[in-house]
Amino acid sequence: METVNGAALRMTAIRKTFPGVVALDGVDLELNPGEVHALVGENGAGKSTLAQIAFGTLRADSGTVAARGTVGLVHQHFQLVGRLRVWQNVLLGREPRSGLRIDAAAAHRAVRDLAERNGLEIDPDAFVDELPVAARQRVELLRELYRNPSVLLLDEPTAALAPAEIDRFFATVTTLAREGTAVLVVTHKLAEVVAYTQRVSVLRRGKMVARFETAATSVDEIARAMVGGDLPAIAARQSVELQPCVKLTGVSAGEGASAVSRVTFDVRGGEIVGIAGVEGNGQNAIADAIAGMIPFHGSIEVPRTGIVPQDRHLEALVLGWSIVDNAVLGRQHALRRGAVVDRARARSDAASIVSRFDLRATSVDAPVRTLSGGNQQKLVVGRALIDDPPFVLAYQPTRGIDVGAATLVGSRLIEARNAGAGVLLISFDLDEIFALADRILVLYRGAIVGEFSSAGADRARIGRLMAGAAA
């Protein structure tokens, strides 16, 4: 990587191809010291590829990359060692030493001081695999900040953060920019782009198609540039006769701060029930208990279920397998013909998911690891809905996908609801819950602390309940 005067990072005529796909086609990007710059685009537009080339994880086929100082990258999917403590992850390979041994006391001080200096609350001794998603995000950021980067690349940094956590995160980012760091935020959340950045660059199918000064544009203008036209409308909600579907009675499950205690609620066929809450307040325990993944006390009545897990890489996909094989995953018994899976039907189902969810892939035989994160997510949602289940458990169904794809996924969930399915939507995005849910349950410290019809729900009141304050 070359050095550069003036700009903190300058990428010129970047081209990158993968088998059968032109990921980037002559892309230019320039970041200035002290700015927060957004990079947006549809799933598969080339955003993460461009960030990885800037960082050095990938090499461009042609073009030049020039940077002033060190480049840091906070990945969309955490690159952490779960069995190690926070301080070990932050300092991995750069630990302070006393002779031949790691100086643990100095390491603790270094991480604690770094966290306090940047307003990132964290316990240096905590094991990473016991932390909630928001805390893991802070560990990722601290690891890069320890390298004192002059350019910081953030790939979907707020995908799993609650509104208050997003505000705190961008307060840190804004402080870094004031101190001279050039920050690139790769994101699908256009409201955040307008609220926190100074400039916006838009990729579409591997080409840079638009650049805006943030103060002179709008969410609608950015979205139209991303998709090349107007966004599709979300599916209309139809009147449906509600039927019994799912009932939880006195359910206690999970351990520690993320457990739930004697939770009771129902989801009726023909409605979407949204669970609003800050991550780590019992959402995992509810989802895992319903899915039969953990033991619980109490009663759960649930029919055949289509599941969208929270983490597509850890819980939903085998990245080395094809789209066809991943479309079969978890559905093997339904697709059996005698002792073997009906491959013709499996291919037909995979093709149907590709079509219904506008999944961008070279073929249904392509390995899932070759898909963008958003297209992987659309595959997971499509698989959950392909057999028309009477109940759908959708945990963060639009995590890491662009505004057009999120509208498509939301429409498919509404269509399932219109067809009589019950849908339980667990999301940390309050906008998503308000857009999709018929009823809203507020979860705080493992208990349901409020229930609202979405039509008359007070956003401020729900936000207070999510934070543990009296309504």
Side-chain angles (χ1 to χ4, degrees):
M1 185 178 292
E2 303 173 14
T3 58
V4 60
N5 294 321
L9 175 72
R10 183 175 294 131
M11 307 179 75
T12 307
I14 300 297
R15 182 176 175 82
K16 179 66 178 178
T17 61
F18 297 103
V21 177
V22 178
L24 295 168
D25 188 6
V27 171
D28 297 337
L29 179 69
E30 186 172 292
L31 304 183
N32 296 321
E35 77 165 332
V36 183
H37 190 125
L39 179 64
V40 302
E42 291 184 286
N43 297 126
K47 304 181 301 297
S48 294
T49 300
L50 190 64
Q52 290 180 55
I53 290 171
F55 182 61
T57 307
L58 292 176
R59 180 182 292 274
D61 298 334
S62 59
T64 61
V65 180
R68 179 168 25 163
T70 303
V71 179
L73 172 62
V74 175
H75 298 79
Q76 177 180 356
H77 296 284
F78 302 145
Q79 308 291 303
L80 300 172
V81 183
R83 296 181 180 180
L84 296 183
R85 299 181 189 273
V86 167
W87 71 265
Q88 293 170 316
N89 272 275
V90 172
L91 304 182
L92 192 61
R94 303 187 296 275
E95 302 90 344
R97 293 186 174 271
S98 177
L100 296 177
R101 302 180 65 181
I102 293 174
D103 188 336
H108 279 74
R109 284 195 303 273
V111 173
R112 188 174 290 108
D113 291 348
L114 182 66
E116 290 177 357
R117 193 162 61 248
N118 290 282
L120 299 168
E121 182 181 344
I122 201 74
D123 176 6
D125 275 325
F127 287 101
V128 164
D129 59 6
E130 296 177 359
L131 294 175
V133 172
R136 295 185 197 188
Q137 181 67 270
R138 292 195 288 273
V139 178
E140 277 271 350
L141 183 56
L142 285 168
R143 187 184 62 191
E144 294 307 314
L145 293 181
Y146 187 73
R147 301 172 65 226
N148 193 28
S150 55
V151 178
L152 183 61
L153 313 172
L154 305 172
D155 193 357
E156 295 292 344
T158 65
L161 302 186
E165 294 166 335
I166 291 170
D167 290 340
R168 289 196 294 270
F169 179 83
F170 275 106
T172 300
V173 168
T174 300
T175 299
L176 291 171
R178 286 199 197 104
E179 294 172 352
T181 305
V183 182
L184 180 71
V185 181
V186 179
T187 184
H188 294 114
K189 297 186 175 182
L190 301 188
E192 293 175 12
V193 171
V194 171
Y196 299 110
T197 73
Q198 287 80 55
R199 289 196 296 151
V200 189
S201 296
V202 183
L203 279 173
R204 187 167 71 242
R205 303 207 175 188
K207 293 180 180 289
M208 192 67 75
V209 296
R211 293 183 176 89
F212 303 103
E213 297 291 329
T214 307
T217 188
S218 66
V219 167
D220 287 344
E221 185 175 27
I222 297 169
R224 286 194 296 272
M226 286 172 56
V227 302
D230 292 332
L231 289 175
I234 198 162
R237 202 178 302 268
Q238 298 173 6
S239 178
V240 181
E241 182 179 352
L242 300 179
Q243 300 290 338
C245 182
V246 172
K247 187 171 183 61
L248 280 71
T249 306
V251 171
S252 298
E255 298 179 349
S258 297
V260 292
S261 178
R262 301 189 61 80
V263 166
T264 296
F265 67 87
D266 65 350
V267 180
R268 293 164 293 186
E271 71 170 349
I272 298 176
V273 174
I275 293 184
V278 176
E279 198 273 343
N281 276 270
Q283 294 92 335
N284 285 4
I286 288 175
D288 289 346
I290 291 174
M293 301 291 290
I294 59 173
F296 62 88
H297 297 287
S299 170
I300 298 179
E301 301 171 27
V302 60
R304 180 171 55 87
T305 304
I307 299 177
V308 181
Q310 179 188 16
D311 190 315
R312 56 182 171 262
H313 283 182
L314 290 179
E315 302 171 308
L317 298 170
V318 179
L319 298 182
W321 289 9
S322 68
I323 293 172
V324 171
D325 289 338
N326 274 280
V328 170
L329 197 60
R331 305 173 51 236
Q332 297 93 320
H333 295 297
L335 295 181
R336 284 196 181 280
R337 176 184 288 176
V340 298
V341 169
D342 184 341
R343 297 299 296 179
R345 182 181 166 192
R347 294 184 69 83
S348 175
D349 286 351
S352 177
I353 293 170
V354 168
S355 175
R356 288 195 73 219
F357 285 83
D358 189 27
L359 202 153
R360 310 283 172 83
T362 54
S363 80
V364 294
D365 296 311
V368 165
R369 68 161 49 95
T370 66
L371 305 180
S372 70
N375 282 299
Q376 291 174 2
Q377 185 69 13
K378 288 191 283 187
L379 172 59
V380 173
V381 178
R383 182 182 64 201
L385 299 178
I386 189 70
D387 295 316
D388 298 320
F391 175 59
V392 180
L393 172 59
Y395 198 149
Q396 290 279 82
T398 65
R399 180 184 179 186
I401 64 178
D402 63 66
V403 61
T407 301
L408 179 61
V409 167
S411 291
R412 297 294 180 254
L413 291 175
I414 290 173
E415 288 166 2
R417 171 247 187 228
N418 291 346
V423 180
L424 181 63
L425 170 65
I426 302 176
S427 176
F428 307 135
D429 185 341
L430 205 49
D431 289 335
E432 179 173 61
I433 288 177
F434 269 84
L436 298 180
D438 299 288
R439 280 193 295 137
I440 301 172
L441 307 177
V442 183
L443 187 66
Y444 179 71
R445 292 191 175 179
I448 302 296
V449 296
E451 178 174 343
F452 304 85
S453 166
S454 60
D458 183 328
R459 180 184 292 263
R461 186 182 178 198
I462 289 175
R464 290 193 297 272
L465 288 169
M466 288 170 61

